[in-house]
Amino acid sequence: MHTETVGPADVVWSRITGLDRVMAVCDGDPSITIGLLDGPVDSGNPGFAEEALTGAAITRAHTLSGDTAASDGTATRHGTAVAGVLAAQRSSGAPAICPGCRVLVRPVLADGADGDEGHPVARPEDLAAGIAECVAAGVRLVNLSAGFVTAGSQNEPVRNALDLAARRGVIVVVAAGNSGGLGGSPTVSHPSVVPVTSCDETGRPLPGGNLGISVGRRGVRAPGTPVESLGPRSADLGRPLTTLSGTSLSTAFVTGALALAWSAAPSLPGAVLQLALTGARSARRGIVPPLLDAVSLYRAGPLSTLEHRP
């Protein structure tokens, strides 16, 4: 684990979640690998931390090559932005929560895919395969900021893949969605995942963030108002940025906080860390989950170096 003194102390999202304090003492450990199930990532953006998107064959195979002209499609913009929240350099202008960790990129979204209001939507078979591949590669966390539309028996492969992740102690963090509705989905409703909804700068739930029993009992909420992150390269910008918002952003904040906490105690079982994040399910009532508390989460590790404050 490396220490890092550069942190976004003046950024609202970091202050209300406590990520500013955690990021000031930790930038992540390379033994903690995050499986990113999203769109393709333009790894050629110079804002990414060195080697953050390398180190495994699946990463090199499924990430857009730095030697190839980057696509500027919706899926690539989304995947690159989510990756920037996690694995950008701290000086890049992106959130860059855990650049010392490794991000295993496994796209499940494609440019031009059918989606909700222009957003790409993953096919269930691709999502199931992606989860299984990430688990086989030894990830500790899976970040899923992509929804999918399907029904009936087509959901079974996804459930089976999430069951596999749970058996292996992998924490799967999933976006609740941005349709402003109540209810679940095959991913959000799975009993082992951490569903994430979005909130504004004061911590109040955003109108567009989905809520429901699964989200309220097992999830958390995190900021979802627009934040700059890394984007695909373009000819006129050396380090292009784009804007990310909604539950996709919120989910990446939660995944990053978990990655930093696990970096402080790599031997800690995933179930212990997940309990520290969400608390006991029996204590939850209602459909609105608690706000992400990155400081309390980080202190769950016995070797945490973050000092208590009154």
Side-chain angles (χ1 to χ4, degrees), residues 77-91:
R77 289 198 302 272
H78 194 276
T80 304
V82 174
V85 174
L86 300 169
Q89 300 174 40
R90 289 274 172 89
S91 60

Side-chain angles (χ1 to χ4, degrees), residues 141 169-173 191-195 217-220 254 258 261-262 268-284 290-293 296-301:
L141 293 153
V170 176
I171 300 176
V172 181
V173 188
S192 71
V193 308
V194 177
R217 290 197 65 188
R218 295 183 284 99
V220 291
V254 174
L258 283 163
W262 226 336
L268 199 68
V272 174
L273 199 61
Q274 191 163 341
L275 180 62
L277 173 70
T278 63
R281 298 180 187 179
S282 60
R284 296 282 193 93
L291 181 67
L292 169 65
D293 183 350
S296 294
L297 178 62
Y298 189 77
R299 287 175 178 160

